[in-house]
Amino acid sequence: MGKYTKADEQLRPDPRFGDKVLSRFINCVMRQGKKSVAQRVVYDAMDIIEEKLTKETAPEKPENSIALFRMALENVKPFVEVRSKRIGGANYQVPMQVNHKRQQSLAFRWIIDSCRAEKGRPMANRLADELYAAAKKEGKAMMTRDQTHKMAEANRAFAHFAN
């Protein structure tokens, strides 16, 4: 990563997998300071993914749930996004590169939002399905990323405004 902040130093790896990225993801899932609830949701989702992976026969499948989680994140991360910029009284949607930390936070947000938008099933099941779909380059979070990339592509004419 680029610059480290105090938040990066203080972040403890999650207790089960010892992974800092997963720990940050759990913090993003958390609502109203209820970390144990968020942990249970994420770990239950990981268990569901493990079960699915044992049934999976595809040769390129990830070996465990944490590998699938990383794969899903990599697939959902956007490389470019459009930012509104005011130039000479007109607003332009200017495509810009996305830095590493923002890529991660956008990926987290899109995955979690797509899970929360769906209703009627336990959050752990929705999260497991969304992560599994994202690892296969499918699902709502991937659609959001593709739309973001399409917007940037459509507004490529304004790329010279980026500075």
Side-chain angles (χ1 to χ4, degrees), residues 4-12 20 24 101:
Y4 280 101
T5 60
K6 202 70 178 168
D8 291 319
E9 281 176 37
Q10 289 174 342
L11 185 72
R12 309 238 59 72
K20 279 196 168 191
R24 186 172 277 129
K101 284 194 90 154

Side-chain angles (χ1 to χ4, degrees), residues 115-126:
C115 293
R116 286 185 179 149
E118 199 183 316
K119 292 276 183 265
R121 284 165 55 220
M123 182 64 177
N125 295 23
R126 292 178 282 173

Side-chain angles (χ1 to χ4, degrees), residues 52-119:
K52 278 187 179 181
L53 283 174
T54 54
K55 294 172 190 162
E56 184 77 52
T57 54
E60 69 280 346
K61 71 168 184 159
E63 64 272 7
N64 57 15
S65 56
I66 196 77
L68 185 130
F69 171 74
R70 287 203 185 104
M71 204 165 124
L73 265 189
E74 282 307 310
N75 289 344
V76 176
K77 281 180 181 178
F79 304 114
V80 285
E81 66 178 342
V82 289
R83 290 247 171 115
S84 195
K85 196 157 193 183
R86 190 171 177 86
I87 292 154
N91 281 323
Y92 296 105
Q93 296 290 317
V94 181
M96 290 184 162
Q97 291 273 300
V98 185
N99 77 20
H100 181 76
K101 284 194 90 154
R102 184 157 168 79
Q103 280 184 355
Q104 192 182 61
S105 59
L106 283 173
F108 284 174
R109 191 181 312 159
W110 293 341
I111 290 169
I112 293 165
D113 286 351
S114 62
C115 293
R116 286 185 179 149
E118 199 183 316
K119 292 276 183 265

Side-chain angles (χ1 to χ4, degrees), residues 10 19 25 40 47 49 68 112 115 127 149:
Q10 289 174 342
D19 190 59
F25 185 72
R40 191 172 333 116
D47 292 339
I49 288 168
L68 185 130
I112 293 165
C115 293
L127 185 59
H149 281 177

